[in-house]
Amino acid sequence: MTRRTALAGALAATFPARNADEEEPGLREYAARAGLLYGAAAAWPVLRDDESYARAFAQECSILVPENVLKMGPVQPEPGAFRFEPADFMAEFCRRHDMRMRGHTLLWHQQAWPWLKTIADAQEARKRLEEHILTVAGRYRGSMHSWDVVNEAVHVPDGRQDGLRKTPFLELLGSDYVELAFRIAHDADPQAKLTYNDYGLDYDTPGQESKRQAVLRLLRHLKEREVPIHAFGMQAHLDWAEFRHFNPETLQRFFREIAELGLEIYITELDVSDRDLPDEIAQRDEAIAKVYHTYLTAALAERAVKAVLTWGLTDRYTWLATRRQRPSGTPVRVLPLDRDYRRKPAWQAIRDAFRTAPARDG
Ligand code: 9MR
């Protein structure tokens, strides 16, 4: 038997609902009791190759989002040539383990098509965007919980009145490109909840307040134009040191305004950087857990919040390991499970926030 078929065989068996060593059910169970979904971003090819990783996803998550493989560049590396093997594997994994799946992301200025520069004009850009979205979202039509249609399109420092980030898509297609992407996505998959996803909106600082206002203006504009948009994605990449700027009321006010537009809210990329904490593990874990708990307790008070996803599940695989390295070089401890898939205080903090969250319709 080849390694691939052996692994496929191992994965074909449905993992037990809970680990034999674990007394407690997974976070998916606590989330379900509150009418929520809980999940995490999954890395490729780790999900295929690391059985402990796959088992942890099956135990803890009721929703999964591919961390990278559905982005524009990875999924269409050359014009007209699509690479679906990794996302297809993840979709099959979700089916097998009774999990929902989110798509991330149909339009983003990072990890965009490597051949973007060859596009000559608006007409060609529109054609390429249509082909991309219809092909990618169309492939998973009817099976996606939601799609991040447009990611990170607002950037106030770029100085535009409408708050839009200056990107090649904006230059090629004009400011209606956001609307265009949502309309195509709706044609491709009329059942998926179409989401606008963004970061840098968590704290009570003047910079983040002006970004919140710009995001609200964009969402209102889309609703006024009857664009098919159904949800807002709050990335929530948090940082222990910056968390002194967190104010629950500010977050709740922002969420209320979004909910009043008739949109659902998903916490899409939650993690907490421990860069500025001392090395001592118990102290560090406790500080990070407190941030998870405080943030989620405030967020879940808003009943429009329907899903919580962390950006990774285990400290073994996280973008923060390279992007927010600790000055001492000790490994980061930023996600619910440690490097050996053991539940950490952050896991318990998420569980506790789910336990006390006001129940909502699922
Ligand atoms: O976690 C992702 C990392 O592996 C990629 O190298 C990076 C590329 O820019 O994107 C990371 O995920 C980002 C997500 O797609 C959008 N929001 C910010 C995330 C962290 O950078």
PDB file of all heavy atoms in Angstrom, residues 41 66-68 71 104-105 108 110-111 151-152 197-199 235 237 269 271 311 318-320 323, ligand 1:
ATOM      1  N   ALA A  41      -9.270  27.377  10.759  1.00  0.00           N
ATOM      2  CA  ALA A  41      -8.620  27.352   9.449  1.00  0.00           C
ATOM      3  C   ALA A  41      -7.720  26.124   9.382  1.00  0.00           C
ATOM      4  O   ALA A  41      -6.957  25.844  10.310  1.00  0.00           O
ATOM      5  CB  ALA A  41      -7.797  28.615   9.243  1.00  0.00           C
ATOM      6  N   PRO A  66     -10.484  26.539   4.602  1.00  0.00           N
ATOM      7  CA  PRO A  66      -9.110  26.349   4.124  1.00  0.00           C
ATOM      8  C   PRO A  66      -8.303  27.633   4.339  1.00  0.00           C
ATOM      9  O   PRO A  66      -8.760  28.712   3.985  1.00  0.00           O
ATOM     10  CB  PRO A  66      -9.285  26.084   2.624  1.00  0.00           C
ATOM     11  CG  PRO A  66     -10.728  25.752   2.429  1.00  0.00           C
ATOM     12  CD  PRO A  66     -11.476  26.453   3.517  1.00  0.00           C
ATOM     13  N   GLU A  67      -7.104  27.480   4.924  1.00  0.00           N
ATOM     14  CA  GLU A  67      -6.314  28.682   5.253  1.00  0.00           C
ATOM     15  C   GLU A  67      -5.809  29.387   3.997  1.00  0.00           C
ATOM     16  O   GLU A  67      -5.756  30.607   3.961  1.00  0.00           O
ATOM     17  CB  GLU A  67      -5.138  28.283   6.150  1.00  0.00           C
ATOM     18  CG  GLU A  67      -4.290  29.469   6.592  1.00  0.00           C
ATOM     19  CD  GLU A  67      -3.231  29.097   7.618  1.00  0.00           C
ATOM     20  OE1 GLU A  67      -3.169  27.920   8.042  1.00  0.00           O
ATOM     21  OE2 GLU A  67      -2.458  29.990   8.001  1.00  0.00           O
ATOM     22  N   ASN A  68      -5.429  28.634   2.988  1.00  0.00           N
ATOM     23  CA  ASN A  68      -4.831  29.257   1.807  1.00  0.00           C
ATOM     24  C   ASN A  68      -5.322  28.745   0.457  1.00  0.00           C
ATOM     25  O   ASN A  68      -5.266  29.474  -0.528  1.00  0.00           O
ATOM     26  CB  ASN A  68      -3.298  29.087   1.845  1.00  0.00           C
ATOM     27  CG  ASN A  68      -2.647  30.003   2.876  1.00  0.00           C
ATOM     28  OD1 ASN A  68      -2.789  31.226   2.820  1.00  0.00           O
ATOM     29  ND2 ASN A  68      -1.954  29.420   3.836  1.00  0.00           N
ATOM     30  N   LYS A  71      -7.617  30.661  -2.147  1.00  0.00           N
ATOM     31  CA  LYS A  71      -7.292  32.040  -2.543  1.00  0.00           C
ATOM     32  C   LYS A  71      -7.009  32.096  -4.043  1.00  0.00           C
ATOM     33  O   LYS A  71      -6.718  31.065  -4.675  1.00  0.00           O
ATOM     34  CB  LYS A  71      -6.108  32.540  -1.721  1.00  0.00           C
ATOM     35  CG  LYS A  71      -6.480  32.719  -0.239  1.00  0.00           C
ATOM     36  CD  LYS A  71      -5.266  33.020   0.626  1.00  0.00           C
ATOM     37  CE  LYS A  71      -5.673  33.161   2.092  1.00  0.00           C
ATOM     38  NZ  LYS A  71      -4.491  33.306   2.983  1.00  0.00           N
ATOM     39  N   HIS A 104     -12.709  30.807   1.500  1.00  0.00           N
ATOM     40  CA  HIS A 104     -11.889  32.003   1.743  1.00  0.00           C
ATOM     41  C   HIS A 104     -10.818  32.026   0.670  1.00  0.00           C
ATOM     42  O   HIS A 104     -10.019  31.091   0.653  1.00  0.00           O
ATOM     43  CB  HIS A 104     -11.268  31.924   3.139  1.00  0.00           C
ATOM     44  CG  HIS A 104     -10.303  33.011   3.458  1.00  0.00           C
ATOM     45  ND1 HIS A 104     -10.703  34.252   3.890  1.00  0.00           N
ATOM     46  CD2 HIS A 104      -8.948  33.073   3.406  1.00  0.00           C
ATOM     47  CE1 HIS A 104      -9.638  35.019   4.115  1.00  0.00           C
ATOM     48  NE2 HIS A 104      -8.558  34.321   3.823  1.00  0.00           N
ATOM     49  N   THR A 105     -10.782  32.937  -0.198  1.00  0.00           N
ATOM     50  CA  THR A 105     -11.636  34.076  -0.418  1.00  0.00           C
ATOM     51  C   THR A 105     -11.662  34.335  -1.914  1.00  0.00           C
ATOM     52  O   THR A 105     -10.648  34.073  -2.576  1.00  0.00           O
ATOM     53  CB  THR A 105     -11.149  35.314   0.381  1.00  0.00           C
ATOM     54  OG1 THR A 105     -11.784  36.497  -0.098  1.00  0.00           O
ATOM     55  CG2 THR A 105      -9.664  35.525   0.230  1.00  0.00           C
ATOM     56  N   TRP A 108      -9.129  39.056  -3.219  1.00  0.00           N
ATOM     57  CA  TRP A 108      -8.220  39.658  -2.223  1.00  0.00           C
ATOM     58  C   TRP A 108      -6.989  40.148  -2.970  1.00  0.00           C
ATOM     59  O   TRP A 108      -6.543  39.492  -3.916  1.00  0.00           O
ATOM     60  CB  TRP A 108      -7.825  38.606  -1.166  1.00  0.00           C
ATOM     61  CG  TRP A 108      -7.062  39.119   0.000  1.00  0.00           C
ATOM     62  CD1 TRP A 108      -7.112  40.380   0.538  1.00  0.00           C
ATOM     63  CD2 TRP A 108      -6.126  38.377   0.818  1.00  0.00           C
ATOM     64  NE1 TRP A 108      -6.297  40.476   1.645  1.00  0.00           N
ATOM     65  CE2 TRP A 108      -5.682  39.265   1.835  1.00  0.00           C
ATOM     66  CE3 TRP A 108      -5.633  37.075   0.797  1.00  0.00           C
ATOM     67  CZ2 TRP A 108      -4.766  38.870   2.814  1.00  0.00           C
ATOM     68  CZ3 TRP A 108      -4.719  36.692   1.779  1.00  0.00           C
ATOM     69  CH2 TRP A 108      -4.294  37.576   2.776  1.00  0.00           C
ATOM     70  N   GLN A 110      -4.032  40.244  -1.765  1.00  0.00           N
ATOM     71  CA  GLN A 110      -2.855  39.400  -1.491  1.00  0.00           C
ATOM     72  C   GLN A 110      -3.101  37.989  -2.015  1.00  0.00           C
ATOM     73  O   GLN A 110      -4.242  37.543  -2.104  1.00  0.00           O
ATOM     74  CB  GLN A 110      -2.599  39.318   0.016  1.00  0.00           C
ATOM     75  CG  GLN A 110      -1.925  40.561   0.561  1.00  0.00           C
ATOM     76  CD  GLN A 110      -1.556  40.404   2.028  1.00  0.00           C
ATOM     77  OE1 GLN A 110      -1.120  39.341   2.487  1.00  0.00           O
ATOM     78  NE2 GLN A 110      -1.750  41.469   2.783  1.00  0.00           N
ATOM     79  N   GLN A 111      -2.021  37.292  -2.290  1.00  0.00           N
ATOM     80  CA  GLN A 111      -2.132  35.934  -2.874  1.00  0.00           C
ATOM     81  C   GLN A 111      -3.107  35.937  -4.051  1.00  0.00           C
ATOM     82  O   GLN A 111      -3.886  34.999  -4.247  1.00  0.00           O
ATOM     83  CB  GLN A 111      -2.555  34.900  -1.819  1.00  0.00           C
ATOM     84  CG  GLN A 111      -1.443  34.570  -0.836  1.00  0.00           C
ATOM     85  CD  GLN A 111      -1.932  33.682   0.298  1.00  0.00           C
ATOM     86  OE1 GLN A 111      -2.759  34.086   1.112  1.00  0.00           O
ATOM     87  NE2 GLN A 111      -1.415  32.462   0.355  1.00  0.00           N
ATOM     88  N   ASN A 151     -12.267  40.295   0.516  1.00  0.00           N
ATOM     89  CA  ASN A 151     -11.469  40.331   1.739  1.00  0.00           C
ATOM     90  C   ASN A 151     -10.647  41.620   1.806  1.00  0.00           C
ATOM     91  O   ASN A 151      -9.954  41.966   0.834  1.00  0.00           O
ATOM     92  CB  ASN A 151     -10.515  39.115   1.727  1.00  0.00           C
ATOM     93  CG  ASN A 151      -9.858  38.848   3.063  1.00  0.00           C
ATOM     94  OD1 ASN A 151     -10.492  38.958   4.107  1.00  0.00           O
ATOM     95  ND2 ASN A 151      -8.581  38.496   3.035  1.00  0.00           N
ATOM     96  N   GLU A 152     -10.769  42.329   2.916  1.00  0.00           N
ATOM     97  CA  GLU A 152      -9.859  43.460   3.232  1.00  0.00           C
ATOM     98  C   GLU A 152      -9.860  44.558   2.178  1.00  0.00           C
ATOM     99  O   GLU A 152      -8.791  45.039   1.782  1.00  0.00           O
ATOM    100  CB  GLU A 152      -8.442  42.925   3.478  1.00  0.00           C
ATOM    101  CG  GLU A 152      -8.407  41.863   4.569  1.00  0.00           C
ATOM    102  CD  GLU A 152      -7.038  41.234   4.781  1.00  0.00           C
ATOM    103  OE1 GLU A 152      -6.067  41.653   4.127  1.00  0.00           O
ATOM    104  OE2 GLU A 152      -6.952  40.293   5.608  1.00  0.00           O
ATOM    105  N   ASN A 197     -15.288  40.344   4.579  1.00  0.00           N
ATOM    106  CA  ASN A 197     -14.385  39.978   5.681  1.00  0.00           C
ATOM    107  C   ASN A 197     -13.273  41.020   5.841  1.00  0.00           C
ATOM    108  O   ASN A 197     -12.654  41.420   4.852  1.00  0.00           O
ATOM    109  CB  ASN A 197     -13.760  38.610   5.313  1.00  0.00           C
ATOM    110  CG  ASN A 197     -13.047  37.927   6.454  1.00  0.00           C
ATOM    111  OD1 ASN A 197     -13.588  37.805   7.550  1.00  0.00           O
ATOM    112  ND2 ASN A 197     -11.833  37.453   6.200  1.00  0.00           N
ATOM    113  N   ASP A 198     -13.016  41.457   7.097  1.00  0.00           N
ATOM    114  CA  ASP A 198     -11.938  42.452   7.263  1.00  0.00           C
ATOM    115  C   ASP A 198     -11.332  42.384   8.669  1.00  0.00           C
ATOM    116  O   ASP A 198     -11.849  41.695   9.547  1.00  0.00           O
ATOM    117  CB  ASP A 198     -12.458  43.865   6.953  1.00  0.00           C
ATOM    118  CG  ASP A 198     -11.379  44.728   6.294  1.00  0.00           C
ATOM    119  OD1 ASP A 198     -10.168  44.509   6.545  1.00  0.00           O
ATOM    120  OD2 ASP A 198     -11.744  45.643   5.520  1.00  0.00           O
ATOM    121  N   TYR A 199     -10.197  43.078   8.833  1.00  0.00           N
ATOM    122  CA  TYR A 199      -9.434  43.036  10.090  1.00  0.00           C
ATOM    123  C   TYR A 199      -9.245  44.456  10.647  1.00  0.00           C
ATOM    124  O   TYR A 199      -9.636  45.431  10.009  1.00  0.00           O
ATOM    125  CB  TYR A 199      -8.050  42.409   9.839  1.00  0.00           C
ATOM    126  CG  TYR A 199      -7.129  43.308   9.041  1.00  0.00           C
ATOM    127  CD1 TYR A 199      -6.173  44.112   9.659  1.00  0.00           C
ATOM    128  CD2 TYR A 199      -7.248  43.386   7.659  1.00  0.00           C
ATOM    129  CE1 TYR A 199      -5.353  44.945   8.926  1.00  0.00           C
ATOM    130  CE2 TYR A 199      -6.426  44.226   6.917  1.00  0.00           C
ATOM    131  CZ  TYR A 199      -5.479  45.014   7.566  1.00  0.00           C
ATOM    132  OH  TYR A 199      -4.677  45.856   6.840  1.00  0.00           O
ATOM    133  N   GLN A 235     -12.376  39.455  11.427  1.00  0.00           N
ATOM    134  CA  GLN A 235     -11.217  38.549  11.509  1.00  0.00           C
ATOM    135  C   GLN A 235     -10.763  38.320  12.947  1.00  0.00           C
ATOM    136  O   GLN A 235     -10.494  37.199  13.338  1.00  0.00           O
ATOM    137  CB  GLN A 235     -10.071  39.090  10.661  1.00  0.00           C
ATOM    138  CG  GLN A 235     -10.358  39.033   9.168  1.00  0.00           C
ATOM    139  CD  GLN A 235      -9.152  39.359   8.314  1.00  0.00           C
ATOM    140  OE1 GLN A 235      -8.015  39.450   8.803  1.00  0.00           O
ATOM    141  NE2 GLN A 235      -9.382  39.559   7.027  1.00  0.00           N
ATOM    142  N   HIS A 237      -7.844  39.193  14.621  1.00  0.00           N
ATOM    143  CA  HIS A 237      -6.456  38.840  14.953  1.00  0.00           C
ATOM    144  C   HIS A 237      -6.046  39.739  16.116  1.00  0.00           C
ATOM    145  O   HIS A 237      -5.749  40.922  15.912  1.00  0.00           O
ATOM    146  CB  HIS A 237      -5.542  39.053  13.747  1.00  0.00           C
ATOM    147  CG  HIS A 237      -5.781  38.051  12.662  1.00  0.00           C
ATOM    148  ND1 HIS A 237      -5.467  36.707  12.822  1.00  0.00           N
ATOM    149  CD2 HIS A 237      -6.323  38.165  11.441  1.00  0.00           C
ATOM    150  CE1 HIS A 237      -5.795  36.050  11.720  1.00  0.00           C
ATOM    151  NE2 HIS A 237      -6.329  36.915  10.872  1.00  0.00           N
ATOM    152  N   GLU A 269     -11.332  34.714  12.049  1.00  0.00           N
ATOM    153  CA  GLU A 269      -9.893  34.396  12.054  1.00  0.00           C
ATOM    154  C   GLU A 269      -9.275  34.639  13.426  1.00  0.00           C
ATOM    155  O   GLU A 269      -8.136  35.116  13.538  1.00  0.00           O
ATOM    156  CB  GLU A 269      -9.166  35.231  10.996  1.00  0.00           C
ATOM    157  CG  GLU A 269      -9.714  35.068   9.592  1.00  0.00           C
ATOM    158  CD  GLU A 269      -8.906  35.784   8.514  1.00  0.00           C
ATOM    159  OE1 GLU A 269      -7.750  36.183   8.769  1.00  0.00           O
ATOM    160  OE2 GLU A 269      -9.444  35.944   7.395  1.00  0.00           O
ATOM    161  N   ASP A 271      -7.306  34.767  16.680  1.00  0.00           N
ATOM    162  CA  ASP A 271      -6.124  34.260  17.376  1.00  0.00           C
ATOM    163  C   ASP A 271      -5.567  35.392  18.227  1.00  0.00           C
ATOM    164  O   ASP A 271      -5.988  36.541  18.087  1.00  0.00           O
ATOM    165  CB  ASP A 271      -5.068  33.646  16.424  1.00  0.00           C
ATOM    166  CG  ASP A 271      -4.642  34.538  15.281  1.00  0.00           C
ATOM    167  OD1 ASP A 271      -4.841  35.763  15.352  1.00  0.00           O
ATOM    168  OD2 ASP A 271      -4.072  34.006  14.293  1.00  0.00           O
ATOM    169  N   TRP A 311      -7.979  31.022  13.746  1.00  0.00           N
ATOM    170  CA  TRP A 311      -7.134  30.937  12.538  1.00  0.00           C
ATOM    171  C   TRP A 311      -6.044  29.892  12.778  1.00  0.00           C
ATOM    172  O   TRP A 311      -4.878  30.199  12.974  1.00  0.00           O
ATOM    173  CB  TRP A 311      -6.566  32.308  12.181  1.00  0.00           C
ATOM    174  CG  TRP A 311      -6.174  32.399  10.727  1.00  0.00           C
ATOM    175  CD1 TRP A 311      -4.936  32.661  10.217  1.00  0.00           C
ATOM    176  CD2 TRP A 311      -7.047  32.257   9.584  1.00  0.00           C
ATOM    177  NE1 TRP A 311      -4.974  32.667   8.841  1.00  0.00           N
ATOM    178  CE2 TRP A 311      -6.255  32.416   8.423  1.00  0.00           C
ATOM    179  CE3 TRP A 311      -8.414  31.980   9.429  1.00  0.00           C
ATOM    180  CZ2 TRP A 311      -6.784  32.327   7.136  1.00  0.00           C
ATOM    181  CZ3 TRP A 311      -8.933  31.896   8.149  1.00  0.00           C
ATOM    182  CH2 TRP A 311      -8.117  32.072   7.024  1.00  0.00           C
ATOM    183  N   THR A 318       0.712  27.692  12.898  1.00  0.00           N
ATOM    184  CA  THR A 318       0.060  29.004  12.943  1.00  0.00           C
ATOM    185  C   THR A 318       0.931  30.033  12.245  1.00  0.00           C
ATOM    186  O   THR A 318       2.153  30.037  12.402  1.00  0.00           O
ATOM    187  CB  THR A 318      -0.230  29.461  14.393  1.00  0.00           C
ATOM    188  OG1 THR A 318      -0.375  30.897  14.404  1.00  0.00           O
ATOM    189  CG2 THR A 318       0.863  29.077  15.381  1.00  0.00           C
ATOM    190  N   TRP A 319       0.278  30.911  11.499  1.00  0.00           N
ATOM    191  CA  TRP A 319       1.011  31.975  10.809  1.00  0.00           C
ATOM    192  C   TRP A 319       1.762  32.868  11.804  1.00  0.00           C
ATOM    193  O   TRP A 319       2.765  33.482  11.476  1.00  0.00           O
ATOM    194  CB  TRP A 319       0.058  32.817   9.959  1.00  0.00           C
ATOM    195  CG  TRP A 319      -0.847  33.722  10.752  1.00  0.00           C
ATOM    196  CD1 TRP A 319      -1.808  33.338  11.635  1.00  0.00           C
ATOM    197  CD2 TRP A 319      -0.850  35.145  10.750  1.00  0.00           C
ATOM    198  NE1 TRP A 319      -2.430  34.431  12.172  1.00  0.00           N
ATOM    199  CE2 TRP A 319      -1.864  35.560  11.648  1.00  0.00           C
ATOM    200  CE3 TRP A 319      -0.121  36.121  10.058  1.00  0.00           C
ATOM    201  CZ2 TRP A 319      -2.148  36.911  11.891  1.00  0.00           C
ATOM    202  CZ3 TRP A 319      -0.405  37.464  10.300  1.00  0.00           C
ATOM    203  CH2 TRP A 319      -1.395  37.839  11.205  1.00  0.00           C
ATOM    204  N   LEU A 320       1.289  32.913  13.087  1.00  0.00           N
ATOM    205  CA  LEU A 320       1.923  33.786  14.080  1.00  0.00           C
ATOM    206  C   LEU A 320       3.324  33.297  14.458  1.00  0.00           C
ATOM    207  O   LEU A 320       4.142  34.072  14.935  1.00  0.00           O
ATOM    208  CB  LEU A 320       1.041  33.885  15.324  1.00  0.00           C
ATOM    209  CG  LEU A 320      -0.314  34.586  15.116  1.00  0.00           C
ATOM    210  CD1 LEU A 320      -1.193  34.443  16.354  1.00  0.00           C
ATOM    211  CD2 LEU A 320      -0.127  36.056  14.769  1.00  0.00           C
ATOM    212  N   ARG A 323       5.139  35.185  11.733  1.00  0.00           N
ATOM    213  CA  ARG A 323       4.780  36.606  11.569  1.00  0.00           C
ATOM    214  C   ARG A 323       4.776  37.385  12.883  1.00  0.00           C
ATOM    215  O   ARG A 323       4.857  38.609  12.865  1.00  0.00           O
ATOM    216  CB  ARG A 323       3.431  36.712  10.869  1.00  0.00           C
ATOM    217  CG  ARG A 323       3.442  36.094   9.464  1.00  0.00           C
ATOM    218  CD  ARG A 323       4.110  37.006   8.452  1.00  0.00           C
ATOM    219  NE  ARG A 323       3.334  38.211   8.261  1.00  0.00           N
ATOM    220  CZ  ARG A 323       2.264  38.293   7.475  1.00  0.00           C
ATOM    221  NH1 ARG A 323       1.877  37.263   6.776  1.00  0.00           N
ATOM    222  NH2 ARG A 323       1.608  39.419   7.365  1.00  0.00           N
TER     223      ARG A 323
HETATM  224  O1  9MR B   1      -2.444  32.340   7.427  1.00  0.00           O
HETATM  225  C1  9MR B   1      -2.205  32.745   6.094  1.00  0.00           C
HETATM  226  C2  9MR B   1      -0.740  32.562   5.747  1.00  0.00           C
HETATM  227  O2  9MR B   1      -0.418  31.178   5.720  1.00  0.00           O
HETATM  228  C3  9MR B   1      -0.432  33.216   4.413  1.00  0.00           C
HETATM  229  O3  9MR B   1       0.959  33.162   4.164  1.00  0.00           O
HETATM  230  C4  9MR B   1      -0.922  34.656   4.410  1.00  0.00           C
HETATM  231  C5  9MR B   1      -0.671  35.315   3.063  1.00  0.00           C
HETATM  232  O4  9MR B   1      -0.850  36.666   3.125  1.00  0.00           O
HETATM  233  O5  9MR B   1      -2.309  34.688   4.688  1.00  0.00           O
HETATM  234  C6  9MR B   1      -2.606  34.212   5.963  1.00  0.00           C
HETATM  235  O6  9MR B   1      -3.984  34.329   6.236  1.00  0.00           O
HETATM  236  C7  9MR B   1      -4.520  35.649   6.227  1.00  0.00           C
HETATM  237  C8  9MR B   1      -5.941  35.551   5.728  1.00  0.00           C
HETATM  238  O7  9MR B   1      -5.989  34.904   4.493  1.00  0.00           O
HETATM  239  C9  9MR B   1      -6.593  36.918   5.633  1.00  0.00           C
HETATM  240  N1  9MR B   1      -6.466  37.644   6.883  1.00  0.00           N
HETATM  241  C10 9MR B   1      -5.153  37.689   7.496  1.00  0.00           C
HETATM  242  C11 9MR B   1      -4.588  36.271   7.626  1.00  0.00           C
HETATM  243  C12 9MR B   1      -3.255  36.288   8.365  1.00  0.00           C
HETATM  244  O8  9MR B   1      -2.299  37.001   7.633  1.00  0.00           O
END
